[in-house]
């Protein structure tokens, strides 16, 4: 369920939506036209990766810059069209490229999308002798700055995770701001987590993961579970997490020209009056303890605006004796593994995440169905 399908969410009229999409196309073309003037061949990787990075950076900057200037009802209508396109294109694409099957499900009252290796998915139906061991169940909280995107838009990235790691991934369709500000998203994520436990998934088999705003939400979920007296997951995996909403580190301005994020990052729709330094929304201000904070994998780009805050967060985890594997990729921007899953830097991230899970997450040799 994309946000536009929720009864509480307003959308734009057909003509306005059409104009919005035309404006988006124009903005994207303008962004791509800038690529040749940005020395796309230069960078920290090979030629193809460097060019891919340049094209991705300009495309996403154009998309985000345009989107942030829209009234919310037009933004939701545009998002709905993109979601509909992805629902047609992505299922056959991920099955062909990654051997992954996408399945809608509702867990704990929260809709979402399962991404599973097709052989494993078939095994749940046939109960044959060929079913594969599931290394971990990932509860994934998608990014979008707490305000946008949908599970199907993340299916290509999630499918890459499935193929490389052997895990199964549930992308939760949690409620987003401004229609549903804090703490709606955390409560939805907690409902999914508890329902997974109710389905027989053990806590040490679960990886809570997320990127950008979803990464901040994932980290906040861990603190919320602790407050509610619920068991911690086996591991936490964060990709460029938005875990410091004060936005007061030097990299916020120093890296603005290199990142894909807009220079005016919006956080007020999500906070809705909550102070940005509140530890419930900015986990960098929490006091992590290995008794309740799980082993953590965190990666980010050296050229992204959140760099300094994530560095500080990783150092705080290490100082608190929470097992942490941190990767900073030179020359990379915000959420590069999601935007460029084919890049060598992204593949290194996937392998490192898999290694962390092998050491801290209990596998499920019986492949117990979670649906």
């Amino acid at each position: 369920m994309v946000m536009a399908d929720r009864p509480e969410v307003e959308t734009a009229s057909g003509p306005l939506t059409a104009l919005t999409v035309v404006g988006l196309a124009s903005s994207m073309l303008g962004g791509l036209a800038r690529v040749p003037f940005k020395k796309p061949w230069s960078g920290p990787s090979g030629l193809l990766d460097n060019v891919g990075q340049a094209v991705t950076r300009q495309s996403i900057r154009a998309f985000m810059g345009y989107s942030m200037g829209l009234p919310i009802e037009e933004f939701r209508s545009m998002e709905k069209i993109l979601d509909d396109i992805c629902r047609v294109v992505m299922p056959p694409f991920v099955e062909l490229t990654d051997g992954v099957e996408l399945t809608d499900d509702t867990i704990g009252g929260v809709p979402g999308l399962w991404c599973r290796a097709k052989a494993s998915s078939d095994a749940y139906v046939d109960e044959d002798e060929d079913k594969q061991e599931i290394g971990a169940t990932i509860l994934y909280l998608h990014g979008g700055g707490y305000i946008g995107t949908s599970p199907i838009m993340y299916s290509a990235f999630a499918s890459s995770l499935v193929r490389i790691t052997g895990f199964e991934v549930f992308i939760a369709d949690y409620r987003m701001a401004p229609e549903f500000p804090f703490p709606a998203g955390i409560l939805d994520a907690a409902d999914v987590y508890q329902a997974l436990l109710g389905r027989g998934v053990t806590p040490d088999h679960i990886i809570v993961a997320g990127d950008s705003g979803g990464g901040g939400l994932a980290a906040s979920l861990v603190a919320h579970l602790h407050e509610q007296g619920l068991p911690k997951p086996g591991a936490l995996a964060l990709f460029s997490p938005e875990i410091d909403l004060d936005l007061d580190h030097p990299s916020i301005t120093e890296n603005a020209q290199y990142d894909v994020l807009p220079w005016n990052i919006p956080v007020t729709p999500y906070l809705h009056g909550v102070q940005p330094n509140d530890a419930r929304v900015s986990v960098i201000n929490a006091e992590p303890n290995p008794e309740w904070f799980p082993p953590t994998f965190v990666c980010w780009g050296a050229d992204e605006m959140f760099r300094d805050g994530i560095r500080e967060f990783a150092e705080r985890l290490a100082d608190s004796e929470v097992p942490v594997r941190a990767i900073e990729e030179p020359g990379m921007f915000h959420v590069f593994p999601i935007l460029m899953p084919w890049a060598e830097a992204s593949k290194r991230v996937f392998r490192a995440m898999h290694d962390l899970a092998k050491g801290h997450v209990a596998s499920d040799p019986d492949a117990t169905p979670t649906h």
Side-chain angles (χ1 to χ4, degrees), residues 316-348:
R316 176 164 296 191
L317 291 180
D319 291 343
S320 301
E321 299 184 348
V322 173
V324 59
R325 173 70 187 278
I327 295 179
E328 179 178 305
E329 281 289 342
M332 284 295 176
F333 42 66
H334 186 62
V335 298
F336 65 90
I338 288 84
L339 299 176
M340 298 177 59
W342 66 85
E344 286 303 316
S346 302
K347 292 176 182 177
R348 286 194 292 271

Side-chain angles (χ1 to χ4, degrees), residues 100-101 105 107 113-117 120-121 124 132-140 158-159 161-163 165-171 196 199-202 205-209 353 364 367-371:
V100 168
E101 187 172 64
D105 196 3
I107 302 179
L113 187 70
W114 279 110
C115 303
R116 292 190 177 103
S120 297
S121 181
Y124 288 118
Q132 299 178 1
E133 177 179 300
I134 302 299
T137 295
I138 298 179
L139 167 55
Y140 198 87
S159 296
L161 277 180
V162 172
R163 175 175 53 82
T165 65
F167 304 160
E168 61 178 1
V169 181
F170 181 75
I171 312 173
L196 285 173
R199 292 188 180 193
V201 185
T202 58
H205 179 69
I206 298 176
I207 298 175
V208 173
M353 179 181 168
D364 181 8
T368 303
T370 49
H371 63 289

Side-chain angles (χ1 to χ4, degrees), residues 225-308:
L225 295 176
H226 170 60
E227 293 173 359
Q228 299 301 311
L230 293 167
K232 67 180 180 181
L236 179 66
L238 306 174
F239 306 89
S240 298
E242 197 170 350
I243 39 79
D244 183 8
L245 301 190
D246 261 331
L247 305 177
D248 60 351
H249 288 91
S251 60
I252 293 292
T253 52
E254 291 174 1
N255 283 345
Q257 61 179 315
Y258 308 116
D259 207 355
V260 297
L261 292 169
W263 60 268
N264 53 338
I265 300 170
V267 295
T268 51
Y270 173 65
L271 293 173
H272 200 62
V274 175
Q275 292 303 305
N277 62 355
D278 190 314
R280 295 174 298 168
V281 295
S282 293
V283 180
I284 192 174
N285 297 319
E287 297 295 335
N289 186 302
E291 291 185 3
W292 61 269
F293 208 97
T296 298
F297 170 81
V298 57
C299 70
W300 65 96
D303 285 355
E304 74 167 275
M305 296 168 71
F306 295 155
R307 180 196 64 199
D308 294 349

Side-chain angles (χ1 to χ4, degrees), residues 78-93:
M78 179 184 71
E79 187 179 52
K80 167 68 172 170
I81 289 177
L82 296 176
D83 184 85
D84 288 343
I85 293 171
C86 287
R87 286 195 168 273
V88 173
V89 173
M90 295 314 299
F93 175 77

